[in-house]
Amino acid sequence: MNDPLNVQNDHDAENARHKEKAQKHKAARDKIMATKTGEKGLLIVHTGAGKGKTSAALGMVFRHIGYGFPVGIVQFTKSPGWNTGEAQLLRTFPDLVTLHIMGEGFTWLTQDRERDIAAATAGWERAKEMIRDDRHRLVLLDELNIVLRYDYLDLESVLKFLRDEKPADKHVVITGRNAKPALIEMADLVTEMTLVKHPFRAGIKGQKGIEF
């Protein structure tokens, strides 16, 4: 039988070691954080084959809404006819959200490159307007990587605009697979979603509240 006094002593010693370790970690962390004093508008890229790129970006959108900061959104591949959960919710904040659903659907749906290019061009013009507009603190360009991948927009023109005309305090978030290396190089924050497992491979279709 264990001696209750020894058990208590061991417990107290473990707690003391944990506290000492936590204090050292906090001191090191505080030292690092003391050097992080700058603020700037970030260029953020969510890419990769894994699910969650748009969902993570919408998390930032809803944080802004929570603070009362206006946001702008252009969805490049979703069609206005698609009834997504995020669009329904975003439309309940008309004073804080400017939402433009500018796509024609996926390329295999339209099967018309000229239409896709026209839709991408119109979406980019709206995006530039919102990025220039001082009202929007964050602008989400959902699936811009897709239209850049298929060369529906000129990459160099997009990069030049982001480099030369994006206001210094404006956050811009770009989502979509296959982000161009030059965009990744320019970005301040890049996250690659890695696919480990997906129900689609097991015959499960996209479902409300999960995919849309």
Side-chain angles (χ1 to χ4, degrees):
M1 175 179 281
N2 293 329
D3 185 335
L5 181 58
N6 289 337
V7 171
Q8 183 61 46
N9 288 339
D10 290 344
H11 180 72
D12 291 344
E14 179 62 28
N15 279 342
R17 286 192 294 272
H18 175 79
K19 184 176 182 179
E20 182 182 6
K21 185 183 295 185
Q23 287 174 338
K24 289 180 179 178
H25 179 75
K26 182 178 184 303
R29 185 69 178 171
D30 288 346
K31 185 176 181 180
I32 292 171
M33 294 304 293
T35 68
K36 313 300 182 186
T37 58
E39 289 188 11
K40 61 171 290 189
L42 300 175
L43 177 59
I44 300 169
V45 175
H46 293 171
T47 192
K51 175 177 164 48
K53 297 176 285 294
T54 296
S55 299
L58 286 169
M60 296 181 190
V61 165
F62 286 117
R63 284 179 187 146
H64 274 68
I65 292 171
Y67 284 115
F69 298 145
V71 299
I73 302 168
V74 176
Q75 294 189 308
F76 279 89
T77 63
K78 294 181 175 68
S79 165
W82 292 6
N83 189 28
T84 64
E86 63 261 31
Q88 292 185 54
L89 183 56
L90 289 166
R91 289 188 180 110
T92 66
F93 301 98
D95 295 335
L96 293 174
V97 177
T98 304
L99 173 62
H100 295 293
I101 303 176
M102 302 292 295
E104 293 272 11
F106 296 114
T107 56
W108 60 84
L109 295 175
T110 62
Q111 301 178 18
D112 187 331
R113 180 174 172 80
E114 291 305 316
R115 277 178 58 190
D116 291 335
I117 290 173
T121 301
W124 178 237
E125 290 303 315
R126 290 289 179 87
K128 289 192 292 184
E129 290 172 7
M130 289 194 291
I131 291 171
R132 290 179 178 128
D133 188 347
D134 291 338
R135 179 173 178 270
H136 301 106
R137 193 172 186 271
L138 176 146
V139 176
L140 167 57
L141 308 180
D142 187 34
E143 306 288 11
L144 177 62
N145 285 335
I146 301 299
V147 299
L148 291 174
R149 175 190 180 188
Y150 290 112
D151 298 320
Y152 295 161
L153 294 173
D154 178 65
L155 175 64
E156 290 307 316
S157 296
V158 171
L159 295 178
K160 185 177 187 303
F161 177 86
L162 293 172
R163 181 176 57 249
D164 297 344
E165 296 198 47
K166 182 183 83 67
D169 58 351
K170 179 74 56 81
H171 301 303
V172 175
V173 187
I174 297 172
T175 70
R177 296 186 180 203
N178 303 110
K180 295 285 189 176
L183 178 60
I184 290 174
E185 178 65 25
M186 178 183 285
D188 300 290
L189 172 61
V190 180
T191 300
E192 183 172 5
M193 310 298 186
T194 301
L195 176 62
V196 177
K197 194 174 185 180
H198 199 293
F200 187 76
R201 293 179 175 177
I204 307 300
K205 67 179 183 178
Q207 300 175 83
K208 286 184 177 180
I210 303 297
E211 276 77 26
F212 58 91

